[in-house]
């Protein structure tokens, strides 16, 4: 299968000399769900942002390597080409829905913005808004689209964000910690919803998370990042069952499990991991 | 250990109603029953978990104990004394004994204050006569107690990571030597790996200082790990309560089952 997205030797360096991402390569195939797992500061969000050049321009931040999207190198592409891919072909959902949504515009207005920009052929915008809101499980969508973000709960706000991302029928959905700000019950719902939508629409998903717990049962493949480098990559079941790198094992071990009856939770011993490199 | 049998804090039929205003004159047309007839007791040295989704009223219960919200009905007794009716100065001695750790370490620390000022603020209120050098030494002690360094006292919150900030929040709560700490979702905003560190720290502190915790969380896995007793809250009411094993192995209420099902599992 031809990969949809190929990232070759990507390095991202900030102005202060901090090498956030250090020579990583990976690919996402059409219709595949890939998870990038790592702690804060491991470079996973920066990688996601670099895909459509959402990072600050040099010299604040220098990106090198190649990001090949459906045969085109996005790092070398001109502004217009990037604008076409950003949002339309590669859509994003961010961590905190309450700060991603603009509080002074209605939910419907904000979804309409995306539709009008990327799908000008659509005549009945309101019907399309209602359709995508229903798709993400918001009841009474025709009326609720007139609501403002503060009238939505956290879970509903995240659903609205997903609706906004899906409104442009993207080929790749980048979900950057989509459930971290939400309750566990809502987390389960949102992950379930993403899985369902992925199967329905056949889009690819790049899920970025710090929690191995939500990866199993969602992603086909996992990429584990530690301090800017990929330390392990493979099929989800394989990685979870038989983690090769000590960091992967540590990340899996520190998740509290029900009915485990451990005295203490396992924390990550960084010196051990750095030694083993 | 004094009177281990007697509860340290007793909450009886607690009600917190928020008025809903409506109509032309903004009259009170209805009430939102955030906490509706909740009763529980916590013994000294024990950790009680309060679990529920957002909007279930669990934070409101925590806030009502330290009088950050007005109680509409019921009674809160601390160490045998009814504290729910006390005002201002009368409540202050109890406010020293009950401290709180908040959900979001990014918003609960004032970005314009140094760590010394943040941790020193409760000392200024409850230990007005503490001399300057003693105060400085106490702040150093507290920082070391929570796994930070003395030299961190002169830094600002933005210089710290999320986990370190939560440690500062814990040091601030411990500054006035409290007996009872209300932990309002202290780990939900943190990475799983950092979450484990903070949970372990809370356990260590409990053993060293003999603290009593009310641990508020939406994550049953953490609560089950940490708590001696669990209360499950839904729409302002306690729907189930019991020991962790009992809740985990034979949940009776459908809502508890729903919460259990939502806990991420590593299906291997």
């Amino acid at each position: 299968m031809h990969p949809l997205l190929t990232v070759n030797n990507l390095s991202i360096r900030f102005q202060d000399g901090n090498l956030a991402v250090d020579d990583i390569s990976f690919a996402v195939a059409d219709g595949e769900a890939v998870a990038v797992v790592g702690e804060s500061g491991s470079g996973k969000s920066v990688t996601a942002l670099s895909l459509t050049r959402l990072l600050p321009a040099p010299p604040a931040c220098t990106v090198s390597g190649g990001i090949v999207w459906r045969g085109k190198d996005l790092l070398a592409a001109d502004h217009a080409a990037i604008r076409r891919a950003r949002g339309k072909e590669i859509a994003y959902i961010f961590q905190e829905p309450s700060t991603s949504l603009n509080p002074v515009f209605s939910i419907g207005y904000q979804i309409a913005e995306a539709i009008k920009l990327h799908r000008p052929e659509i005549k009945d915008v309101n019907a399309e808004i209602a359709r995508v809101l229903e798709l993400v499980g918001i009841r009474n969508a025709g009326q609720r689209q007139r609501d403002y973000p503060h009238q939505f709960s956290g879970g509903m706000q995240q659903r609205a964000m997903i609706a906004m991302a899906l409104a442009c029928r993207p080929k790749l959905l980048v979900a950057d910690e989509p459930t971290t700000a939400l309750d566990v019950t809502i987390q389960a719902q949102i992950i379930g919803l993403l899985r369902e939508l992925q199967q329905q629409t056949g889009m690819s998903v790049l899920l970025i998370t710090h929690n191995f717990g939500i990866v199993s049962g969602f992603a086909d493949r996992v990429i584990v990042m530690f301090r800017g480098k990929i330390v392990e990559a493979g099929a989800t079941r394989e990685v979870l069952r038989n983690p090769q790198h000590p960091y992967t094992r540590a990340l899996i071990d520190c998740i509290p499990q029900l009915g485990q009856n451990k005295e203490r939770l396992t924390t990550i011993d960084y010196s051990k991991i750095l030694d083993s490199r | 250990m004094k009177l281990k049998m007697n509860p340290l804090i007793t909450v009886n039929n607690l009600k917190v109603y928020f008025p809903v205003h409506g109509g032309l004159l903004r009259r009170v047309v209805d009430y939102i029953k955030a906490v509706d007839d909740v009763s529980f007791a916590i013994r000294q040295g024990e950790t009680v978990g309060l679990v529920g989704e957002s909007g279930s009223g669990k934070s409101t219960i925590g806030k009502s104990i330290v009088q950050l919200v007005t109680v509409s009905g019921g009674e809160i007794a601390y160490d045998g004394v009814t504290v729910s009716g006390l005002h201002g100065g009368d409540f202050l001695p109890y406010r020293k004994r009950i401290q709180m750790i908040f959900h979001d370490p990014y918003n609960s620390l004032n970005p314009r204050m140094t760590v010394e000022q943040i941790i020193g603020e409760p000392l200024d209120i409850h230990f007005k006569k503490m001399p300057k050098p003693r105060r400085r030494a106490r702040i150093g002690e507290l920082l070391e107690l929570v796994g930070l360094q003395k030299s961190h006292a002169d830094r600002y919150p933005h210089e710290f990571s999320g986990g370190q900030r939560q440690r500062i929040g814990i040091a601030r709560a411990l500054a006035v030597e409290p007996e009872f700490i209300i932990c309002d979702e202290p780990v939900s905003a943190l990475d799983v790996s950092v979450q484990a560190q903070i949970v372990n720290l809370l356990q260590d502190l409990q053993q060293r200082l003999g603290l009593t915790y009310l641990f508020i969380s939406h994550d049953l896995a953490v609560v089950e790990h940490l708590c001696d007793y669990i209360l499950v809250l839904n729409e302002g009411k306690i729907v189930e309560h019991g020991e962790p094993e009992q809740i985990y192995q034979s949940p009776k209420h459908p809502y508890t089952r729903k919460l259990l099902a939502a806990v991420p599992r590593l299906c291997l």
Side-chain angles (χ1 to χ4, degrees):
Chain A
M1 203 172 3
H2 199 68
L4 193 65
L5 171 81
T6 322
V7 173
N8 296 320
N9 306 96
L10 181 76
S11 291
I12 302 169
R13 185 185 288 279
F14 287 103
Q15 197 171 19
D16 58 8
N18 183 7
L19 193 61
V21 174
D22 185 5
D23 196 21
I24 64 164
S25 305
F26 65 91
V28 180
D30 209 355
E32 195 184 27
V34 178
V36 181
V37 189
E39 286 174 284
S40 338
S42 60
K44 53 195 193 321
S45 289
V46 186
T47 307
L49 291 175
S50 73
L51 298 180
T52 54
R53 297 226 303 253
L54 287 172
L55 291 169
C61 174
T62 1
V63 182
S64 63
I67 295 170
V68 184
W69 170 252
R70 302 169 90 187
K72 289 186 305 259
D73 189 354
L74 285 184
L75 279 183
D78 60 20
H79 194 65
I82 280 286
R83 288 278 287 171
R84 271 195 300 277
R86 190 188 284 160
K88 165 94 175 119
E89 293 176 346
I90 304 179
Y92 285 87
I93 317 168
F94 296 104
Q95 184 182 130
E96 182 89 58
S98 54
T99 48
S100 305
L101 290 164
N102 190 333
V104 301
F105 293 110
S106 69
I107 297 282
Y109 181 92
Q110 297 183 55
I111 299 176
E113 239 177 1
I115 297 176
K116 281 175 190 158
L117 181 67
H118 292 295
R119 296 172 71 196
E121 73 280 2
I122 287 187
K123 292 280 167 332
D124 193 352
V125 177
N126 279 337
E128 181 64 15
I129 298 169
R131 190 189 69 82
V132 289
L133 282 176
E134 263 161 31
L135 197 66
V136 296
I138 287 180
R139 272 166 287 168
N140 210 353
Q143 266 182 17
R144 291 313 294 262
Q145 63 168 285
R146 283 195 289 273
D147 281 0
Y148 287 84
H150 75 268
Q151 289 164 297
F152 273 35
S153 68
M156 282 170 77
Q157 288 179 354
Q158 196 58 291
R159 283 170 193 267
M161 287 299 298
I162 298 174
M164 203 180 292
L166 292 177
C168 309
R169 302 175 185 257
K171 298 289 289 172
L172 173 69
L173 180 68
V174 182
D176 188 355
E177 305 258 13
T179 60
T180 307
L182 306 173
D183 272 15
V184 264
T185 40
I186 310 295
Q187 166 170 300
Q189 286 173 18
I190 294 288
I191 291 293
L193 173 71
L194 281 175
R195 191 186 306 137
E196 221 172 85
L197 291 171
Q198 192 226 347
Q199 279 156 4
Q200 253 178 52
T201 59
M203 64 182 171
S204 308
V205 177
L206 190 67
L207 173 73
I208 291 165
T209 179
H210 62 83
N211 191 345
F212 251 112
I214 63 170
V215 171
S216 62
F218 180 80
D220 308 312
R221 278 193 306 122
V222 191
I223 296 167
V224 184
M225 280 185 81
F226 176 59
R227 303 201 174 165
K229 285 197 171 75
I230 292 180
V231 292
E232 186 162 356
T236 308
R237 288 171 67 86
E238 233 3 81
V239 172
L240 278 174
R241 256 193 211 153
N242 191 12
Q244 296 300 314
H245 195 275
Y247 181 67
T248 317
R249 208 168 306 140
L251 265 185
I252 295 172
D253 283 344
C254 68
I255 301 170
Q257 290 284 297
L258 280 171
Q260 215 171 20
N261 286 331
K262 265 202 290 191
E263 268 298 288
R264 291 173 69 81
L265 293 175
T266 323
T267 54
I268 298 181
D269 186 356
Y270 293 97
S271 55
K272 241 190 208 162
I273 293 163
L274 291 171
D275 282 349
S276 70
R277 285 218 281 202
Chain B
M1 278 282 140
K2 56 167 190 183
L3 297 169
K4 240 201 146 181
M5 289 300 119
N6 285 355
L8 183 67
I9 187 155
T10 325
V11 171
N12 282 324
N13 309 96
L14 181 71
K15 294 187 183 81
V16 181
Y17 294 173
F18 295 113
V20 178
H21 298 273
L24 191 62
L25 299 169
R26 315 300 299 162
R27 282 203 190 94
V28 175
V29 289
D30 200 1
Y31 289 95
I32 289 173
K33 298 179 175 176
V35 179
D36 198 10
D37 207 6
V38 165
S39 306
F40 61 89
I42 306 174
R43 284 192 297 263
Q44 181 159 15
E46 206 180 38
T47 305
V48 169
L50 197 52
V51 211
E53 282 178 286
S54 351
S56 61
K58 54 193 194 313
S59 288
T60 309
I61 291 179
K63 285 181 186 161
S64 62
I65 293 174
V66 288
Q67 299 195 353
L68 288 175
V69 292
T70 320
V71 172
S72 318
E75 187 191 76
I76 299 165
Y78 187 82
D79 214 359
V81 183
T82 307
V83 292
S84 43
L86 298 179
H87 292 291
D90 295 334
F91 185 63
L92 201 62
Y94 294 98
R95 190 62 183 76
K96 174 185 165 294
R97 296 161 75 179
I98 310 170
Q99 288 292 315
M100 212 163 167
I101 301 170
F102 295 96
H103 165 65
D104 188 347
Y106 295 87
N107 294 328
S108 60
L109 305 178
N110 188 336
R112 290 173 169 239
M113 284 161 84
T114 63
V115 170
E116 179 171 357
Q117 286 169 320
I118 290 169
I119 301 176
E121 209 176 16
L123 292 174
D124 296 341
I125 296 167
H126 295 287
F127 294 90
K128 285 199 181 82
K129 292 189 183 114
M130 189 182 266
K132 268 264 165 73
R134 174 79 198 97
R135 181 174 179 271
R136 173 102 190 153
R138 172 80 181 133
I139 289 164
E141 260 169 49
L142 285 162
L143 283 172
E144 281 175 353
L145 188 66
V146 297
L148 295 170
Q149 285 155 28
K150 270 194 183 121
S151 57
H152 287 153
D154 298 317
R155 296 201 193 163
Y156 286 89
H158 74 265
E159 296 174 69
F160 295 94
S161 67
Q164 285 175 319
R165 281 186 225 206
Q166 198 56 287
R167 286 172 194 268
I168 297 169
I170 295 172
R172 173 175 60 186
L174 292 175
V176 294
E177 295 159 16
E179 299 159 344
F180 178 53
I181 297 186
I182 300 164
C183 311
D184 189 358
E185 305 249 19
V187 296
S188 350
L190 305 172
D191 271 18
V192 267
S193 51
V194 183
Q195 189 173 312
Q197 291 171 12
I198 297 292
V199 167
N200 286 345
L201 173 68
L202 287 172
Q203 280 182 306
D204 289 344
L205 290 171
Q206 180 167 44
Q207 273 174 11
R208 279 176 67 174
L209 308 170
L211 297 167
T212 308
Y213 290 139
L214 175 65
F215 193 90
I216 300 170
S217 180
H218 61 77
D219 191 345
L220 256 175
V222 177
V223 170
E224 197 232 20
H225 170 78
L226 197 66
C227 299
D228 304 308
Y229 201 79
I230 296 179
L231 311 165
V232 183
L233 202 68
N234 184 23
E235 294 179 0
K237 289 189 170 71
I238 291 179
V239 294
E240 188 163 358
H241 56 93
E243 314 245 308
E245 295 85 47
Q246 185 193 334
I247 298 263
Y248 165 61
Q249 270 154 11
S250 52
K252 290 189 184 63
H253 198 274
Y255 182 73
T256 316
R257 269 179 238 139
K258 186 181 146 198
L259 279 180
L260 281 167
V263 172
R265 261 160 242 261
L266 297 164
C267 4
L268 298 176

